[in-house]
Amino acid sequence: KFENGSDVRARNAEVRDQVLHAANVTGSGVQNVTDVWCGYLPRNYLATWPMIVEVTVFTAYMNSGITIQRAWQGIIGTSAAVFNHGFMRLIYPHGENNWFVWLDILGFFLVVLASGSADNTMKFSMFWHAALMMIFLNRSDSRGSFPIGNIP
């Protein structure tokens, strides 16, 4: 119970009904993220929720030992892609689209494929490298303009 005596379950049901109503009224889903946001995580994480499905599919397995192993492989692969993206941001702070960038993109993929790493490490590194470099190449995309090391 809340301090004012209202029941938590009743409040959760009320919020759920408001969200469902907002989704039904717009016809194309909820337009105002404050209607559905939980409030615990930063709002700018909302765009990355679809990737949770991808990460879960690549990571979850039959037992916890292999799942943890795959999670670490994913962290290593993601770190390699983020490190490369950070390196490119140091060279070209505002993004660039030239032969050196394309050489970096193709070279990274070739190094990852030739590395002999675990499949999950390769999947994560290539997935995140492709996503980050598409943002890097698209200078009009504001998602690529975050300062290195500033994770909300």
Side-chain angles (χ1 to χ4, degrees), residues 108-117 122 126:
F108 185 89
F109 283 133
L110 291 175
V111 167
V112 168
L113 291 171
S115 70
S117 299
M122 288 192 275
M126 290 194 297

Side-chain angles (χ1 to χ4, degrees), residues 71-135:
W72 277 109
Q73 291 168 349
I75 290 169
I76 292 167
T78 302
S79 298
V82 169
F83 176 77
N84 183 66
H85 183 255
F87 174 73
M88 294 303 289
R89 279 271 170 225
L90 289 174
I91 296 173
Y92 300 109
H94 303 292
E96 191 64 38
N97 190 351
N98 63 26
W99 65 271
F100 181 74
V101 175
W102 285 102
L103 187 65
D104 174 75
I105 292 170
L106 295 174
F108 185 89
F109 283 133
L110 291 175
V111 167
V112 168
L113 291 171
S115 70
S117 299
D119 288 346
N120 213 41
T121 306
M122 288 192 275
K123 287 175 188 175
F124 273 86
S125 62
M126 290 194 297
F127 168 78
W128 282 109
H129 180 65
L132 291 171
M133 293 312 284
M134 283 189 283
I135 292 169

Side-chain angles (χ1 to χ4, degrees), residues 53-73:
V53 174
E54 178 261 340
V55 169
T56 304
V57 167
F58 286 162
T59 304
Y61 201 64
M62 291 188 211
N63 61 45
S64 59
I66 294 177
T67 299
I68 292 170
Q69 178 186 18
R70 287 181 169 201
W72 277 109
Q73 291 168 349

Side-chain angles (χ1 to χ4, degrees), residues 24-35:
N24 289 333
V25 168
T26 60
S28 61
V30 178
Q31 301 298 318
N32 186 0
V33 295
T34 59
D35 290 341

